[in-house]
């Protein structure tokens, strides 16, 4: 399995999908559409939507049925990055190698661009080819990114109180983990996979989500990296990737794609 080729191929599909789903930069009122596009087409890895596509393919689903869901995940991820960069949160001037949305377009437009991406994501999920599956995907996604998921993780992260190990665990599983595990789950749902298979994909997503966070800590030299050092952090990420691969061992020959994506996380570190 040449994972690099797979990543290139699926990234192109996702970028084309995003291009077609986002309003044109000239559509009235242009400022908001330019701001949304500025952050979406800023060179993200597209790791989460690729996971959606791969999970769907593994379960025998078709790209055309899953592409809107995959793009919806990227829209939501990008909304969270735009809002995270705002002065009221992390106050970052750069994101994905270019000016952050509020630095380029001002705070008010950046807030609205994030809101616009989140809203467009829901529209895309609702427009799926199978209404029953669309509804399940919307339910899973809104739970994953609401106050019991992504937003909850962010709220605890920005609080100034001293954070225990359990609190840090909550932040990571909610802020980073939920969007990754919902990606694998909705890939399965789009393919019409059975509930046990969707749950298995979700467990795989949770485990690689942990590995993803640990590698991110390694890159930023923060979090777990500060408490246990580079070697132990690396070993922890490797163990999680092995565990994730064991979790999908029974899923069949096509599971190799998911195993390759799990390995790809380690290559980032
Ligand atoms: C504003 C509700 C709300 C949430 C913000 C995304 C986020 C939550 C915070 C950003 C800070 C951070 C380090 C989050 C952990 C997740 C993470 C590593 C995000 C970056 O994801 P990548 O590496 O980025 O996939 P690209 O740019 O490749 O998409």
């Amino acid at each position: 399995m040449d994972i690099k080729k797979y990543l290139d191929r699926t990234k192109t599909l996702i970028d084309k999908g995003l291009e077609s789903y986002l309003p044109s930069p000239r559509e009235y009122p242009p400022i908001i559409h330019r701001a949304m596009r500025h952050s979406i087409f800023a060179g993200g890895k597209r790791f989460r939507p690729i996971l959606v596509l791969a999970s769907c393919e593994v379960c025998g689903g078709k790209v055309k049925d899953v592409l809107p869901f995959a793009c919806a995940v990227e829209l939501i991820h990008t909304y969270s990055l735009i809002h995270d960069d705002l002065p009221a949160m992390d106050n970052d001037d750069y994101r994905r190698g270019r000016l952050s949305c509020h630095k380029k377009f001002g705070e008010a437009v950046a807030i609205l661009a994030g809101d616009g991406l989140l809203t467009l994501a829901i529209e895309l999920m609702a427009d799926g080819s199978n209404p029953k599956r669309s509804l399940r995907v919307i339910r899973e996604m809104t739970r994953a990114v609401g106050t019991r998921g992504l937003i909850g993780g962010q709220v605890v992260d920005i609080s100034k109180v001293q954070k225990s190990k359990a609190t840090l665990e909550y932040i990571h599983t909610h802020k980073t983990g939920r969007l990754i595990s919902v990606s694998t789950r909705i890939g399965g749902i789009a393919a019409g996979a059975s509930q046990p298979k969707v749950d298995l994909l979700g467990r795989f997503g949770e485990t690689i989500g942990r590995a993803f966070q640990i590698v991110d800590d390694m890159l930023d030299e923060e979090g777990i990296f500060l408490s246990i050092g580079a070697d132990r952090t690396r070993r922890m990420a490797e163990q999680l990737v092995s565990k994730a691969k064991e979790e999908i061992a029974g899923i069949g020959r096509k599971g190799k794609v998911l195993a390759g994506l799990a390995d790809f996380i380690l290559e980032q570190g």
Side-chain angles (χ1 to χ4, degrees):
M1 166 90 230
D2 187 342
I3 199 69
K4 288 273 173 327
K5 272 196 188 144
Y6 184 83
L7 287 168
D8 280 352
R9 182 169 65 79
T10 44
K11 188 171 181 300
T12 305
L13 277 172
I14 287 148
D15 285 343
K16 277 191 185 153
L18 288 168
E19 181 56 53
S20 70
Y21 299 135
L22 277 160
S24 143
R26 286 170 297 281
E27 187 172 328
Y28 190 78
I31 182 100
I32 187 72
H33 301 134
R34 286 205 292 120
M36 286 157 77
R37 284 172 164 268
H38 170 84
S39 294
I40 283 283
F41 296 112
K45 295 183 286 297
R46 313 297 194 217
F47 182 64
R48 296 159 190 78
I50 291 174
L51 271 179
V52 179
L53 285 186
S55 303
C56 179
E57 276 181 46
V58 162
C59 299
K62 292 198 185 82
V63 168
K64 76 169 174 42
D65 294 326
V66 76
L67 194 61
F69 302 147
C71 290
V73 175
E74 187 65 18
L75 298 181
I76 291 176
H77 169 56
T78 306
Y79 123 73
S80 78
L81 297 177
I82 294 175
H83 283 193
D84 185 64
D85 290 338
L86 288 168
M89 296 211 202
D90 237 21
N91 196 15
D92 277 315
D93 291 354
Y94 291 92
R95 170 66 68 178
R96 292 174 160 171
R98 55 164 72 173
L99 280 179
S100 49
C101 199
H102 68 274
K103 273 282 155 187
K104 174 108 179 148
F105 294 93
E107 255 185 82
V109 170
I111 292 169
L112 293 166
D115 295 342
L117 292 172
L118 174 62
T119 318
L120 179 61
I122 297 168
E123 185 184 330
L124 270 187
M125 292 186 283
D127 279 348
S129 56
N130 179 319
K132 259 193 175 165
R133 288 180 197 169
S134 273
L135 185 59
R136 270 186 77 193
V137 166
I138 293 171
R139 189 184 294 131
E140 293 258 354
M141 180 67 88
T142 45
R143 274 188 195 155
V145 303
T147 54
R148 293 175 171 135
L150 175 72
I151 293 176
Q154 178 76 348
V155 166
V156 178
D157 194 23
I158 62 174
S159 86
K160 297 273 182 278
V161 295
Q162 178 81 24
K163 294 178 179 95
S164 66
K165 222 176 141 205
T167 308
L168 287 172
E169 175 74 9
Y170 174 91
I171 292 170
H172 294 155
T173 52
H174 288 70
K175 198 178 88 167
T176 312
R178 290 299 300 276
L179 202 51
I180 293 180
S181 60
V182 82
S183 297
T184 50
R185 288 180 71 87
I186 64 177
I189 294 169
S194 65
Q195 193 60 46
K197 212 163 184 181
V198 171
D199 291 340
L200 184 148
L201 285 166
R203 285 196 295 280
F204 167 80
E206 272 168 33
T207 310
I208 59 168
R210 281 170 203 268
F212 192 92
Q213 179 63 55
I214 289 173
V215 169
D216 195 58
D217 280 354
M218 251 161 74
L219 292 171
D220 296 345
E221 302 195 357
E222 60 180 32
I224 188 108
F225 175 91
L226 291 180
S227 37
I228 65 173
D231 289 348
R232 282 182 66 193
T233 311
R234 168 110 206 146
R235 242 175 300 151
M236 225 175 135
E238 284 169 356
Q239 279 165 5
L240 284 165
V241 167
S242 299
K243 179 171 179 264
K245 290 202 276 191
E246 278 164 29
E247 278 163 347
I248 46 143
I251 211 162
R253 196 174 50 84
K254 285 189 168 173
K256 281 212 168 96
V257 182
L258 292 177
L261 291 175
D263 283 330
F264 171 74
I265 293 173
L266 294 177
E267 280 174 37
Q268 306 300 298

